[in-house]
Amino acid sequence: MGVDKDESLLRTLFAQADMEKKGGTPQAMGAGGITSFEGLVRADAAWSRLRTSPPLPPKEFVEIVDGGTSSTGAQEFEAVICGGTLGIFVASALMSKNPNLRIAVIERGKLAGRDQDWNIARVELESAIELGVLSREEIEDSIQNEFNPMRVGFRNPDGSGFETDVKDVLNIGISPKKLIAYAKARFEAMGGTVFEQVGLEGVDISSPDDPAILRCSSKDKGEFSLSAKLVIDAMGSGSPIARQARSGAKPDGVCLVVGMCASSPLFEDLNKQGGDLIYANSPALKIPTLAQGQMESLSVPNGTSEVQLFWEAFPAGSGPLDRTTYMFAYMDTKPTRPSLQRMFEEYIRLMPEYQGLNATLEDLVNENKLKAKRLLFASFPSYSNSPITYPDTWHHITAVGDASGVQSPLSFGGFGALLRHLPRTVDGIADALTYGITDSESLKELNPYLPNLSSTWMMQRSMSAPASSGPFRPPLTGDSGLGEGLINDILASTFEEMLMLDGGKGESMQPFLQDVVQPGGLLGALAGVVKSKPQLVPRILQHVGPTPIFEWVGHVSFMLAYALAHSIASTPNARKLLTGDPKIVKPSDDRKTQFLLRRRLDAFKYGSGADFNLIS
């Protein structure tokens, strides 16, 4: 299929992808699951509203009921997990830990994974095996392909910059369809209940002693209720529960992503060379807000803003000629930020150069040398006050995955972020259910302050180009700018110094590349930049601004304190004392105190990056 003269290349690519999907499975729910052109238009309209309209009061999804709630007529469970695409993994882990629990999962659509691979590292899958979510055989059967190395690089047009290869980071393409099917089958075999194509209309809460009531509806059953000691929100960053908890506030940052899985003989050699974890081959660019033809459909002024574009590329598991490339950028929610369709226009223009294809994308399509299989797009919001904190009156509710805000503002969140925190999440939820701890103050400890997560906000700031100039955020481009290549210079210098911390082995970089920040690697790299590139420091300070730097210093101070506390608490005797060894702790000791101590130990471990284990 060539490009029709009456339609854009983007429409042609979507038409090719639609032909590929015919006869396939329904599109999956969640970020990146809807891949049609109509879905892109809807996503752009939502992104436009977020940038241009004042925040609207969120729907009162969680309601406080005076006089208590009643489970009369409701099907009773210990825990109900809302959102099955990732929630099924939490459900399976909880049932494996305690098969006597009554657990249900609610999914508004069919509980099925999407066609597009999830990319992850093999070491990150170990927690799913250890927790009984999946067997090693099931994971091996779900792996579509495995490749090495992954490139990390930041280059400016003058050739300056940094580039290196790393191994075993996001180098596995795994099938969400198979993973979710296996986890669902395992969960149901252990006695779990799955409600598919069931909408959650709201949650009623009273006191810690009364159960939460979930108001549900479906075409088959009409309106019905479930009761639960614990409601677990796994509905992602767009969760209505999270939106209400944040009072409808706009996100502090957004990662805007567009991409495509395409088939071409030109990709065969590229796939043999591995993929790209993060790569920039151009400086900051000035990009218009709207794509051609959007001015009539979106009520957004067509301005411009500076954007630093990054790339990711993975060999796809669907065939040796198939490759997935993503283009993404970090930004705020200013009105002049580019639309998703505008980002796609930049992707179409720049992707051939990035992949060294020596032809325009339009020529490749017209000559039948490239065919789109799936087009991908999403906006991933992030909030600086993360993990999420619920109101004091919200008993019986907690969150996991992106709904909880545990993902780094530098990542796409999703499966990897969930797995990273799954051991502490499952232990904490299991303890809460076992000991009947459902009050809001105690449940807040399931998603505690993590200073290493909060410290990544300065990196997000440094990787985003300003939408408008100010005294502490001058432009990058133009005669009065700090330099269009500044972001690449910052990243190249930081990663080069991080690489040299272990003599070039790359092990110091691996935690950071998997969204785990450790104080040694972070401070060592920054100290190296100050020493080797002192002329860069004033430009960094001016680009980032004073407030993020002061906040970052506070988070790093806490990270160091958490690392020290974890080191002390990890000694054998201290661990036995603090976690309730029956030989040391009296039977009369308060279970709630032990619950809170365990959660604090988890916070010290994860908040200092000590949860990362390098397994080769």
Side-chain angles (χ1 to χ4, degrees):
M1 177 188 290
V3 180
D4 191 300
K5 64 179 181 180
D6 294 325
E7 67 179 15
S8 68
L9 176 56
L10 181 59
R11 288 265 198 168
T12 299
L13 294 171
F14 270 103
Q16 285 187 343
D18 287 342
M19 292 289 291
E20 184 77 18
K21 284 184 298 202
K22 285 200 176 179
T25 55
Q27 295 196 355
M29 298 293 181
I34 304 299
T35 60
S36 65
F37 185 78
E38 292 72 22
L40 173 63
V41 172
R42 291 193 298 271
D44 243 345
W47 171 229
S48 172
R49 288 193 298 272
L50 180 65
R51 302 194 320 273
T52 60
S53 303
L56 295 175
K59 174 188 174 184
E60 193 172 347
F61 198 84
V62 177
E63 296 188 21
I64 307 302
V65 178
D66 294 330
T69 57
S70 172
S71 60
T72 303
Q75 192 170 348
E76 297 182 14
F77 295 93
E78 266 88 30
V80 175
I81 300 173
C82 310
T85 303
L86 293 180
I88 192 64
F89 300 109
V90 179
S92 181
L94 286 170
M95 289 292 285
S96 293
K97 194 171 184 69
N98 185 352
N100 295 319
L101 291 173
R102 290 169 297 160
I103 298 176
V105 173
I106 299 176
E107 173 56 46
R108 63 189 170 110
K110 291 290 291 182
L111 183 49
R114 65 183 190 177
D115 292 318
Q116 183 66 30
D117 299 344
W118 283 341
N119 288 97
I120 196 159
R122 189 174 284 276
V123 64
E124 293 178 288
L125 295 167
E126 288 298 317
S127 62
I129 297 170
E130 292 168 3
L131 292 169
V133 178
L134 299 156
S135 69
R136 193 172 298 277
E137 292 73 24
E138 288 167 341
I139 284 178
E140 291 298 331
D141 183 58
S142 301
I143 292 175
Q144 302 294 94
N145 63 341
E146 188 168 0
F147 44 88
N148 267 312
M150 295 292 286
R151 181 173 61 162
V152 175
F154 312 95
R155 293 287 187 190
N156 281 319
D158 62 3
S160 63
F162 167 79
E163 189 173 307
T164 191
D165 288 337
V166 295
K167 290 186 176 181
D168 304 326
V169 182
L170 299 190
N171 65 308
I172 288 175
I174 199 161
S175 167
K177 278 186 182 179
K178 288 187 175 182
L179 282 181
I180 290 171
Y182 278 131
K184 177 185 174 186
R186 185 174 280 253
F187 173 65
E188 290 180 320
M190 289 185 286
T193 303
V194 176
F195 293 96
E196 294 184 87
Q197 296 182 319
V198 168
L200 179 62
E201 307 301 328
V203 180
D204 294 339
I205 297 173
S206 180
S207 71
D209 299 322
D210 297 316
I213 303 298
L214 297 91
R215 291 176 272 111
C216 307
S217 66
S218 71
K219 287 184 179 180
D220 296 336
K221 300 180 67 173
E223 295 182 355
F224 64 98
S225 297
L226 306 175
S227 78
K229 295 178 182 177
L230 196 59
V231 177
I232 303 170
D233 181 8
M235 293 184 283
S237 56
S239 160
I241 295 176
R243 197 177 304 125
Q244 182 180 349
R246 297 188 187 279
S247 303
K250 289 188 177 185
D252 299 293
V254 172
C255 181
L256 214 59
V257 186
V258 297
M260 176 173 64
C261 177
S263 184
S264 171
L266 300 173
F267 289 149
E268 186 171 15
D269 287 339
L270 279 173
N271 284 340
K272 292 175 182 176
Q273 297 168 28
D276 286 345
L277 186 60
I278 181 169
Y279 196 82
N281 62 339
S282 63
L285 307 172
K286 270 197 169 184
I287 295 180
T289 303
L290 300 176
Q292 293 182 10
Q294 272 196 305
M295 295 184 70
E296 297 177 0
S297 59
L298 292 177
S299 56
V300 183
N302 191 18
T304 60
S305 70
E306 294 181 344
V307 175
Q308 176 65 58
L309 299 174
F310 299 98
W311 296 90
E312 251 185 346
F314 303 99
S318 49
L321 306 184
D322 298 349
R323 191 170 179 86
T324 301
T325 50
Y326 296 102
M327 186 187 81
F328 60 98
Y330 302 107
M331 59 189 71
D332 50 35
T333 58
K334 297 289 176 62
T336 55
R337 292 305 193 182
S339 68
L340 284 162
Q341 289 187 57
R342 181 66 230 187
M343 287 283 283
F344 259 124
E345 287 188 350
E346 295 301 319
Y347 173 90
I348 287 169
R349 182 175 69 89
L350 297 171
M351 191 275 276
E353 178 187 353
Y354 158 59
Q355 291 290 267
L357 301 182
N358 297 318
T360 67
L361 204 52
E362 183 170 359
D363 287 343
L364 293 172
V365 171
N366 282 333
E367 295 168 10
N368 294 318
K369 292 182 179 179
L370 183 143
K371 182 180 179 182
K373 302 190 78 169
R374 282 178 296 278
L375 277 87
L376 313 151
F377 51 87
S379 57
F380 296 98
S382 50
Y383 297 83
S384 57
N385 60 331
S386 290
I388 197 166
T389 301
Y390 290 149
D392 292 341
T393 53
W394 284 23
H395 309 295
H396 303 282
I397 299 183
T398 190
V400 297
D402 292 358
S404 68
V406 295
Q407 72 277 21
S408 160
L410 303 177
S411 78
F412 297 171
F415 185 54
L418 179 86
L419 281 186
R420 206 162 295 127
H421 294 268
L422 197 60
R424 72 168 185 85
T425 298
V426 169
D427 282 351
I429 292 173
D431 281 354
L433 293 173
T434 300
Y435 301 139
I437 297 172
T438 58
D439 65 286
S440 64
E441 282 303 309
S442 298
L443 292 179
K444 286 177 184 179
E445 294 304 311
L446 293 175
N447 287 306
Y449 164 68
L450 302 174
N452 62 343
L453 173 67
S454 297
S455 73
T456 59
W457 274 96
M458 192 185 80
M459 183 63 76
Q460 194 270 0
R461 178 87 163 185
S462 69
M463 294 173 71
S464 63
S468 56
S469 61
F472 295 110
R473 285 281 274 174
L476 300 179
T477 61
D479 294 337
S480 60
L482 291 173
E484 60 185 14
L486 176 61
I487 293 176
N488 282 341
D489 291 340
I490 294 172
L491 293 171
S493 301
T494 302
F495 276 85
E496 186 174 13
E497 293 299 329
M498 196 177 295
L499 180 65
M500 296 313 298
L501 289 175
D502 58 11
K505 294 178 183 177
E507 293 181 0
S508 298
M509 295 172 58
Q510 288 217 359
F512 186 81
L513 293 173
Q514 292 176 224
D515 293 321
V516 178
V517 178
Q518 297 176 326
L522 177 65
L523 294 176
L526 293 181
V529 172
V530 171
K531 182 178 179 181
S532 64
K533 303 273 176 45
Q535 71 279 7
L536 195 58
V537 175
R539 295 166 66 205
I540 294 174
L541 297 176
Q542 198 171 1
H543 172 60
V544 174
T547 301
I549 291 173
F550 287 138
E551 291 174 348
W552 177 81
V553 169
H555 296 314
V556 171
S557 300
F558 274 107
M559 189 177 7
L560 291 168
Y562 274 41
L564 177 61
H566 172 70
S567 178
I568 294 171
S570 296
T571 59
N573 287 337
R575 191 73 188 178
K576 288 178 183 178
L577 177 65
L578 293 170
T579 57
D581 187 301
K583 296 177 182 177
I584 298 177
V585 179
K586 299 174 185 177
S588 60
D589 281 356
D590 183 30
R591 285 178 168 180
K592 185 173 180 179
T593 301
Q594 288 298 318
F595 171 85
L596 296 175
L597 277 172
R598 290 190 182 100
R599 305 293 76 78
R600 184 50 38 196
L601 292 176
D602 287 342
F604 291 153
K605 179 179 180 179
Y606 282 78
S608 61
D611 57 297
F612 181 85
N613 290 312
L614 182 64
I615 301 176
S616 55

